[in-house]
Amino acid sequence: MATQHLSPALRVPAAPPAYPMAKPGYGKRSAPDQRPRTRDDFALLPTRERYVAGFVDHLPEGAAMSVKTLAKQLPLYGQQAISTALTALSVAGHLRRVRCAVVGAGDETRWVFRTFWSRTAHDNEWWNTYLATEKATLAAAPAPEPSARDTAPPPPWSPAAEDPPPAPERPRTKQTPEPTAVPHQRTPARVPEAEPVPPAREAAPAVEAGRSPAYLALARLGRDDHRLTLSADDCATLEAQAAQWLARGVSVDYLTHALTAGLPARVDSPLGFLRRRLTDKIPPRLTTENTQPATPAPTRRLLMECTDCGRPGQPEALPDGLCRPCRTAHSGAPEDSPRPADIADVKAHMNNLRDLLKPV
């Protein structure tokens, strides 16, 4: 009976403890909805891509994900091979590169870059949905740097609530006791008795304090315009209707203006006139809280980058994490075909050579 000898994939080198970490705002970020790590992860990928994927999967959060850094840590492949492997991993649904605009101190805008990694492959629809959520935006935004106040050394300890301990008594030395000085006492001059202040002014607010704002607003209408003078019984009768206005979020000034605006030349019955206005002109219900919208926080919008050439764009415009030229070159051309960026460099170099060969 023949025994099958399966050729295992290349072993993934363990990430060294001193792996270089990216600066704040850069590096690796793990995406959600990942399956637990198993030995069969990335089994359907080619050898090179499986080797790079296993290494990236074991990197910590915030690790540097540039091609140059990965090539230094992976001795089997160079920068060109690592770049091609990352492009293949992006097409397979394991990787997306994004950039995010962050407003710093002094309204200074800077771009931060992240590489989202998922052990479980996801399709374009899942990546587009996740990158559009607030969770992905917060993950891409850098952590707030500690301020100078937080990093300043703590002040010297001093008890705040406790009384200072009594000072220890020092041993007394034999000294001549000084005579105790007795302050000179003066006879205080007689101050003429002040006349008592009449408590009439203090009693008035005390009387108004027992009334509701609606009652006081109705009572003051007669002072503003004599045509709307109400008695105490009239104010008590209309108090409930005026209180409904205030309960809907309007102010006392708004109530007063609505009741006194456009008065006729003569008002025969102030009670009936105000009752009709309180019924017909009642405002819509408003909240009592401040209706002014709060200043919105600066929005952070994610832009996906092409994994191959780094061209930014919306997630919908970069399926598989690649722009149109790179996607065309990756899908239709052979593996050893030059990339669009390399073609442009060659053309520029040839143009420079032609310019040098021209006769002067």
Side-chain angles (χ1 to χ4, degrees), residues 90-156:
S90 177
V91 175
H94 295 282
L95 179 142
R96 289 292 186 274
R97 293 189 185 273
V98 300
R99 64 170 63 180
C100 177
V102 178
V103 179
D107 295 339
E108 179 184 358
T109 304
R110 65 187 181 95
W111 289 95
V112 295
F113 302 86
R114 294 291 193 193
T115 300
F116 283 98
W117 172 260
S118 175
R119 186 184 315 110
T120 303
H122 297 288
D123 56 5
N124 293 320
E125 184 179 359
W126 186 94
W127 278 111
N128 296 342
T129 304
Y130 170 68
L131 294 178
T133 59
E134 183 68 18
K135 184 177 180 180
T137 305
L138 295 177
E145 298 179 358
S147 60
R149 187 175 182 180
D150 298 334
T151 57

Side-chain angles (χ1 to χ4, degrees), residues 5 11-12 34 40 60 71 96 143 187 200 214 257 276 285 294-295 321:
H5 296 280
R11 287 190 177 184
V12 177
Q34 299 190 42
D40 297 332
R96 289 292 186 274
T187 303
H257 179 73
R276 183 63 180 269
R285 189 174 300 277
T295 303

Side-chain angles (χ1 to χ4, degrees), residues 15-16 19-20 28 30 37 52 54-65 70 73 117:
Y19 185 85
K28 174 189 173 182
S30 297
R37 185 178 286 112
V52 176
F55 179 80
V56 173
D57 187 52
H58 286 77
L59 292 179
E61 294 289 309
M65 286 289 294
L70 291 174
Q73 302 296 325
W117 172 260

Side-chain angles (χ1 to χ4, degrees), residues 80 89 103 186 256 299:
Q80 185 67 28
L89 291 175
V103 179
R186 298 180 179 179
T256 304
T299 58

Side-chain angles (χ1 to χ4, degrees), residues 244-269:
Q244 293 180 3
W245 282 54
L246 301 181
R248 296 192 174 210
V250 302
S251 61
V252 176
D253 295 338
Y254 181 92
L255 173 64
T256 304
H257 179 73
L259 296 179
T260 57
L263 292 178
R266 181 179 178 182
V267 180
D268 296 330
S269 175

Side-chain angles (χ1 to χ4, degrees), residues 265-284:
R266 181 179 178 182
V267 180
D268 296 330
S269 175
L271 175 61
F273 179 81
L274 292 176
R275 180 187 290 114
R276 183 63 180 269
R277 282 206 166 184
L278 288 172
T279 304
D280 296 344
K281 294 189 175 184
I282 185 169

